[in-house]
Amino acid sequence: MVAIEETTGGRPAADVLAGVRDVVDPALRAAVATLPSAPRAIAEYHFGWCDEHGNPVGGAGGKLFRAALALLSARAAGGSGQGAVPAAVAVELVHNFSLLHDDVMDGDATRRHRATAWRVFGTGGAVLAGDALLSLAFDTLAAGGDPAGSDTVRRLNSTVQRLIAGQSADMDFERRADIAPAECRAMAEAKTGALLGCACGLGASLGGAAPGRAEGMHRFGELLGLAFQIADDLLGIWGDPATTGKPVHSDLRNRKKSLPVVAALAAGTAESGELAALFARARPLEGPDLVRAAELVELAGGRSWAERETAALLESALEHLRSAAAAAAPAAELAELARLAVRRDH
């Protein structure tokens, strides 16, 4: 077991992410450049590389958080970060496939402080661009030269199927009033935990880590993913639009039965009942209704539960990281990145 908290050899998180970008960004851009022209233009806009006319723009785009998990997991488990690059690119492509589709399904107007791809290029174009990224993710793994290539593709496919199942449940929950907390947790584990677990486990495997360590990294990522989703649920209710790039109360506007909301509804308080009645109204939730819904989630204990659960999941994830790690400095960097992820602005 590596004592990651006592290690001083890790780099600051900003330097870690910058290093990941230096390695992964060229490979990601090269992969996207192979797409047909129409989905490529939409993808390049979505990634923040170009404007709607195809002109290059400044800025780094997304943080490549999942790619960082893949590379650092490989190094922390005793493998090679360079060997994990195909996994890093693949999980970023899958993640952005899901974002393009999510924005269409949720009707979100902004992402990363500008108009979402579907608003600029239309829903059909955005959906097809997401499909193209998903196909490209599998091609990236298959072309990665790993001896276990077919196995890695199957593992990514299983992850995508779980992600889709989780997203489907999330959409179904918007139309239901009887969501049990355990059911909502399972949805979040599939929707978010599956891909973060895949990033860590696949990165470690492709980087050459021993199977037992790779499996430990996979479990670390799954638990971190669930904590990450709950933190995202909190941002979806109380996040600052200047930080998140999305409208305030965006999840409440869509009547999402996120984990804090379900915890509040299940609390059995007067506020729980008022919140359920508010969600059951036929008319759209807006203005004062959204403000009151956020208040009710907090008064019914949903916010405090989510904060406690996030902390507990993070600690459990770090225990798996301690057990799986073989190299102290990258494990320390991975631990710091995990901590930032659950009090994040992304």
Side-chain angles (χ1 to χ4, degrees):
M1 179 179 288
V2 172
I4 54 177
E5 283 78 12
E6 298 173 4
T7 299
T8 59
R11 297 166 293 167
D15 291 346
V16 170
L17 291 172
V20 168
R21 182 170 300 282
D22 289 344
V23 173
V24 175
D25 191 64
L28 183 60
R29 288 176 185 258
V32 171
T34 68
L35 294 176
S37 60
R40 182 179 71 241
I42 298 172
E44 289 175 342
Y45 171 85
H46 168 77
F47 277 108
W49 302 336
C50 296
D51 64 17
E52 63 270 30
H53 305 295
N55 302 311
V57 297
K63 292 182 175 65
L64 300 182
F65 173 65
R66 288 151 190 82
L69 292 180
L71 265 61
L72 287 175
S73 292
R75 294 179 56 228
S80 161
Q82 190 61 41
V85 170
V89 172
V91 295
E92 281 296 328
L93 290 168
V94 169
H95 172 56
N96 283 278
F97 138 76
S98 72
L99 294 182
L100 281 161
H101 284 202
D102 283 356
D103 286 341
V104 170
M105 290 184 290
D106 293 343
D108 284 340
T110 58
R111 180 173 293 280
R112 297 168 184 157
H113 308 289
R114 62 177 185 166
T116 44
W118 71 267
R119 290 193 63 213
V120 176
F121 299 97
T123 56
V127 168
L128 288 173
D131 294 343
L133 294 184
L134 179 59
S135 175
L136 186 59
F138 291 112
D139 187 59
T140 298
L141 275 188
D146 185 75
S150 60
D151 179 61
T152 59
V153 170
R154 283 195 298 270
R155 288 165 65 185
L156 183 64
N157 181 66
S158 176
T159 297
V160 172
Q161 294 300 325
R162 285 191 67 199
L163 186 157
I164 291 171
Q167 181 63 36
S168 297
D170 193 23
M171 292 176 61
D172 181 56
F173 289 177
E174 294 174 26
R175 299 185 292 270
R176 289 175 48 195
D178 58 339
I179 312 302
E183 189 179 11
C184 191
R185 182 187 177 104
M187 176 275 292
E189 288 173 342
K191 177 182 174 182
T192 305
L195 187 57
L196 267 65
C198 181
C200 295
L202 207 57
S205 293
L206 267 64
R213 293 190 186 278
E215 180 55 35
M217 287 297 177
H218 182 96
R219 186 56 182 152
F220 156 74
E222 284 186 323
L223 290 166
L224 174 61
L226 184 53
F228 186 97
Q229 181 58 57
I230 299 174
D232 191 67
D233 290 342
L234 290 169
L235 287 178
I237 300 174
W238 292 285
D240 181 356
T243 299
T244 65
K246 300 179 74 171
V248 67
H249 301 144
S250 59
D251 282 359
L252 294 176
R253 182 176 286 104
N254 293 323
R255 302 174 199 257
K256 279 192 175 294
K257 304 299 195 308
S258 62
L259 279 157
V261 169
V262 170
L265 289 170
T269 66
E271 292 82 4
S272 304
E274 185 180 343
L275 180 63
L278 195 58
F279 268 48
R281 289 182 183 176
R283 69 173 186 266
L285 295 180
E286 54 190 4
D289 287 341
L290 294 172
V291 173
R292 182 56 179 165
E295 290 175 348
L296 291 169
V297 173
E298 183 158 11
L299 290 169
R303 186 172 191 169
S304 60
W305 173 87
E307 290 169 348
R308 291 193 306 272
E309 189 69 8
T310 298
L313 285 164
L314 174 62
E315 184 51 41
S316 182
L318 292 176
E319 282 295 328
H320 282 275
L321 175 57
R322 293 182 189 102
S323 297
E333 293 170 354
L334 194 53
E336 180 58 20
L337 202 61
R339 294 186 184 98
L340 289 175
V342 299
R343 58 177 188 273
R344 69 194 193 283
D345 59 3
H346 55 273

